[in-house]
Amino acid sequence: VTWILQPRYGPLVALTGMVVMFLPCVIAAWGLRQPLRAATTAELTAEPPAHAGAGLQTEKPGPLVAAFAGSTLFARGGVAYWIFLERMAHGASVSSGFVGVAIAVGTVAAAASAALAATLARHLRLLLVLGSAAGIVGYAAMLRPSTLIILASACLFNVAWGMLVPAYQAVIRRADAASRYFVAGPATIFLAGVGAGPIAGAVAQVYGYDAVMILSICVTAAGLGDAVRV
């Protein structure tokens, strides 16, 4: 929507359009507030199971560490790609306008992949492999960027993101025997993304964008290796 509105009406209208699109989410969340609050109250007042509180004593940290490590590696590889996508396109003489179109199309692909993730929820390892494969192919394609490759790569990246974000959250939840640490999953992804910029920037400055893509491929594969062990 923004790539349609901004050239014609300016950034203010484009941002207003984004807010309008976000409003249905707010309305839906407001409508769900009472059922969610009731469920929370019921959980708080329910009798705890006999084994409650034993998780911290019996839990082994290895799987949980592997789950968080995999999530961190996946996020760093993805953000390293995302922040340099436009620069790589510029180097291949592809216009910024087309990059915006590719990102918009990729967003639609991400929505479709999220639906696929819900379908494959009971097959977590398959979901991890498919999402990681999509990301790795998208990164590898950018070693020889062109107009069509950038479009395909953006779609593959968004497919990977839409599948792997919920998949890694599920991996962390599975590894969290104490049911205390899984809430840190989203924060882990965001913090990993913050750390990806300086690392990818240093690599790009010394070795170029191809090295950044190779780095993204390697850390995505390493993240998959950590996750499937959980």
Side-chain angles (χ1 to χ4, degrees), residues 25-77:
C25 300
V26 177
I27 295 171
W30 182 263
L32 290 171
R33 73 190 190 283
Q34 292 298 337
L36 288 174
R37 184 179 301 168
T40 303
T41 303
E43 291 174 0
L44 289 174
T45 56
E47 289 294 328
H51 62 276
L56 287 176
Q57 286 73 30
T58 61
E59 179 182 20
K60 296 181 179 179
L64 190 60
V65 171
F68 276 109
S71 178
T72 299
L73 290 168
F74 144 69
R76 288 196 169 177

Side-chain angles (χ1 to χ4, degrees), residues 41-122:
T41 303
E43 291 174 0
L44 289 174
T45 56
E47 289 294 328
H51 62 276
L56 287 176
Q57 286 73 30
T58 61
E59 179 182 20
K60 296 181 179 179
L64 190 60
V65 171
F68 276 109
S71 178
T72 299
L73 290 168
F74 144 69
R76 288 196 169 177
V79 173
Y81 163 88
W82 194 245
I83 59 179
F84 287 119
L85 176 60
E86 192 277 333
R87 289 290 83 201
M88 290 186 286
H90 178 78
S93 300
V94 177
S95 69
S96 299
F98 183 81
V99 175
V101 173
I103 292 173
V105 175
T107 303
V108 177
S113 69
L116 179 60
T119 304
L120 296 176
R122 295 183 179 273

